[in-house]
Amino acid sequence: ARSAGLPVTGGNISAMFGFFLCEGPVRNFEQAKATDTERFGRLHRAMLERGIYLAPSAYEAGFTSLAHSDADIDTTLAAFRDAFAAIA
């Protein structure tokens, strides 16, 4: 997101991750509401077009698992780069 010039903040706990399209940090719901939900919707659609399914809400977490290979992760990161550039 940052390489596309978009604000982003997020984090992870073990295999659970999340991010918000806003300046951070985000520590509570009031701060989370600053996320750009319209842009997240465009990101969600752009990722679907690239074969990656994200949770459809900016307020939901994502998860990785042992079923995800290094190639899966690389493909997902490439899709994010392209999708962020497309919605910037």
Side-chain angles (χ1 to χ4, degrees):
R2 286 191 185 110
S3 66
L6 300 174
V8 65
T9 189
N12 71 295
I13 298 173
S14 191
M16 182 175 66
F17 67 92
F19 62 92
F20 296 99
L21 299 178
C22 64
E23 296 296 332
V26 171
R27 294 192 175 103
N28 57 49
F29 184 63
E30 286 303 312
Q31 293 169 338
K33 290 192 304 185
T35 194
D36 188 339
T37 54
E38 181 181 320
R39 183 169 273 156
F40 184 89
R42 293 195 315 267
L43 175 67
H44 183 265
R45 285 185 293 282
M47 290 295 282
L48 285 175
E49 291 169 0
R50 289 157 178 81
I52 307 296
Y53 180 82
L54 299 175
S57 170
Y59 302 108
E60 295 183 62
F63 298 88
T64 57
S65 76
L66 294 175
H68 294 104
S69 68
D70 288 345
D72 293 330
I73 301 298
D74 291 342
T75 298
T76 302
L77 292 174
F80 265 120
R81 279 189 290 276
D82 290 346
F84 279 126
I87 66 165

